[in-house]
Amino acid sequence: MSHTADEIASQPACWRRAVDLLPRHAPALPRHGERVAVVGCGTSWFMAQSYAALREAAGHGRTDAFAASEAPLDREYDRVLALTRSGTTTEVLHALERVRGRVRATVVTAVPDSPAGELADDAVVLDFADERSVVQTRFPTSQLVLLRAHLGEDLTAAVRDAETAVTAELDPALLAAEQITFLGTGWTYGLAREAALKVREAAAWWTESYPAMEYRHGPIGIAAPGRAVWPLGAGALPPGLDGQIAATGAHLVRPSGLDPLAELVRAQRVAAELAAGLGRDVDNPPHLTRSVVLEDAS
């Protein structure tokens, strides 16, 4: 088995540990009522989007998510929350440098004593969820579990759903599809973007992602026999859309009833299976690195 496959399978245990560690890490996380900017790159940006939508929906305060390179951090925020597995990503470090001494910053990372941790006021280290694979799976989901628990969610059912997700048979139509489009709404749109990224990273597969209500505004034009549409979460399939997808001949993945984050685990498994079928090194896909560290332009 690949490291990626092992790391995907370990997620239920990682999620339990993340919940158990909440009392230790809660003081470093955003407080109720704070205005928060959440920044990250790639996978971490998509997890930031999901958390921001959840935090605002839960009434905890204004929460904006940005790609670290594009974050307008001159706005008035009470805290910057930086998500970075390695703690070395250049754009995240630059964002932390911009707010240092001006806005309180918390970093969530898998690596103790990382450069990001040194720049932040507070560091949440989830080293138990670190990964050997370049492709992120268990760290981002464990991170989001911790953040959801901090918002007051009971993750007991989600952990059980993850146990199902790592063992359930995968849909053969997905493994045979030439193209997959992921849909989401609210906090699951970030998950849809991450699912599409995972399949692209691991298998170099043609994937797209959209807010569910936007799918009919053009993107449905690529739906066809041999392609698939995968809504993450029951709310990601608006009324009437199933019939429109059926008319295209594309395969529609019906809602499984699992927690949407557990559905993302299923998408990770599809990504790994597609990569294996192509003979790709899923742990070290071409042209990708564990962390993007840019040379100093000066």
Side-chain angles (χ1 to χ4, degrees), residues 108-135:
V108 182
T109 182
V111 181
D113 304 318
S114 69
E118 293 174 3
L119 286 170
D121 300 286
D122 302 293
V124 173
V125 179
L126 305 180
D127 50 358
F128 64 89
D130 201 358
E131 297 151 324
R132 296 181 65 177
S133 174
V134 167
V135 176

Side-chain angles (χ1 to χ4, degrees), residues 30 32-38 48-66 75 77 147 151 153 186-187:
H32 192 285
E34 284 186 330
R35 298 165 297 179
V36 178
V38 196
Q49 289 181 313
S50 289
Y51 169 63
L54 283 167
R55 186 172 185 267
E56 284 215 359
H60 283 246
R62 174 178 169 178
T63 317
D64 299 322
F66 302 107
R75 295 179 182 173
Y77 289 107
L147 294 171
L151 294 176
E153 288 193 49
W187 76 282

Side-chain angles (χ1 to χ4, degrees), residues 30-256:
R31 299 174 183 174
H32 192 285
E34 284 186 330
R35 298 165 297 179
V36 178
V38 196
V39 301
C41 299
T43 289
S44 294
W45 176 29
F46 302 146
M47 295 298 101
Q49 289 181 313
S50 289
Y51 169 63
L54 283 167
R55 186 172 185 267
E56 284 215 359
H60 283 246
R62 174 178 169 178
T63 317
D64 299 322
F66 302 107
S69 59
E70 300 293 330
L73 298 178
D74 53 339
R75 295 179 182 173
E76 291 188 4
Y77 289 107
D78 302 306
R79 185 184 300 265
V80 169
L81 179 64
L83 311 181
T84 166
R85 175 177 64 174
S86 68
T88 59
T89 303
T90 298
E91 299 97 308
V92 172
L93 299 183
H94 287 172
L96 290 170
E97 288 168 350
R98 287 172 58 193
V99 300
R100 195 174 192 185
R102 180 171 60 84
V103 181
R104 190 162 193 87
T106 294
V107 63
V108 182
T109 182
V111 181
D113 304 318
S114 69
E118 293 174 3
L119 286 170
D121 300 286
D122 302 293
V124 173
V125 179
L126 305 180
D127 50 358
F128 64 89
D130 201 358
E131 297 151 324
R132 296 181 65 177
S133 174
V134 167
V135 176
Q136 294 193 54
T137 55
R138 71 183 182 188
F139 176 72
T141 63
S142 299
Q143 172 182 247
L144 190 54
V145 162
L146 176 73
L147 294 171
R148 288 174 66 183
H150 186 243
L151 294 176
E153 288 193 49
D154 182 348
L155 278 297
T156 305
V159 173
R160 286 199 303 266
D161 287 348
E163 291 171 340
T164 299
V166 299
T167 59
E169 182 179 356
L170 296 176
D171 184 344
L174 283 170
L175 300 178
E178 67 172 3
Q179 188 275 337
I180 306 174
T181 297
F182 294 91
L183 305 179
T185 186
W187 76 282
T188 70
Y189 174 48
L191 301 187
R193 299 191 71 187
E194 168 60 7
L197 177 66
K198 216 57 15 191
V199 180
R200 282 196 297 270
E201 287 180 327
W205 216 255
W206 177 16
T207 58
E208 300 187 4
S209 55
Y210 300 96
M213 291 297 290
E214 286 295 311
Y215 182 60
R216 287 175 279 210
H217 294 268
I220 195 173
I222 66 165
R227 299 175 183 176
V229 181
W230 189 345
L232 296 187
L237 187 60
L241 184 55
D242 55 347
Q244 291 175 288
I245 293 171
T248 70
H251 174 66
L252 174 64
V253 181
R254 295 288 177 177
S256 65

